[in-house]
Amino acid sequence: MKICFAGPFSLARLGGVLRSGVPDYDEFPPVSDYLLQLIERGHFVEAVMLSGAVTKTTRFSGDQINATLLPLRRSGRTSDFYQKEIRLLETFYNTNQFDMIHAQWPYEYASAGLRQRAPLLVTAHDAPLTIAKYTRPLRYWGMRAVLAFTVVPRLKHLVAISPYLAKYYKRRHLYRR
């Protein structure tokens, strides 16, 4: 099965399955273990993430994995509601064929996956309204919450990493599946 994993991951953690020349870049290590498990089970993984560490699309390859970093703007993402990032991801999804897309967080990765032919699974890692209430900058988290409100009702498959988040998405975002 060819699985697209869309979200932050650790190039450093994946160094053992990628060919040489991989920088020691450590964005989000926990999910990289998940990617390694998919590879161990015989799946081909096409991992993609938005990253401020690159200014152009950068790709690393291995026998059962490709890791692609797309440029992420350091500022101004909320001014156009993440449209540039969503378009980059849509282009990436459209130029590849996947058996499924597994997007992390119900924001830009999931939004770009909504119009794809491949089934979309989204994992919720946080509660945007709760974070917006307690964290600054408010504009950033407020926009993330709005984006989640536009994405979540359109999802067929959403999983949460905890019972608290499952309850949150059912209560706050009215997710019923």
Side-chain angles (χ1 to χ4, degrees), residues 19-41:
R19 292 187 186 92
S20 62
V22 177
D24 192 22
Y25 185 65
D26 209 15
E27 179 79 20
F28 196 69
V31 297
S32 299
D33 293 336
Y34 166 67
L35 298 178
L36 293 171
Q37 290 174 12
L38 290 173
I39 292 167
E40 285 176 16
R41 287 173 173 74

Side-chain angles (χ1 to χ4, degrees), residues 106 110 114 120-122 151-158 175 177:
L114 285 170
L120 173 65
L121 169 65
V122 176
V151 169
V152 171
R154 297 164 47 199
L155 294 176
K156 291 181 182 175
H157 308 287
L158 174 70
Y175 185 76
R177 292 179 192 93

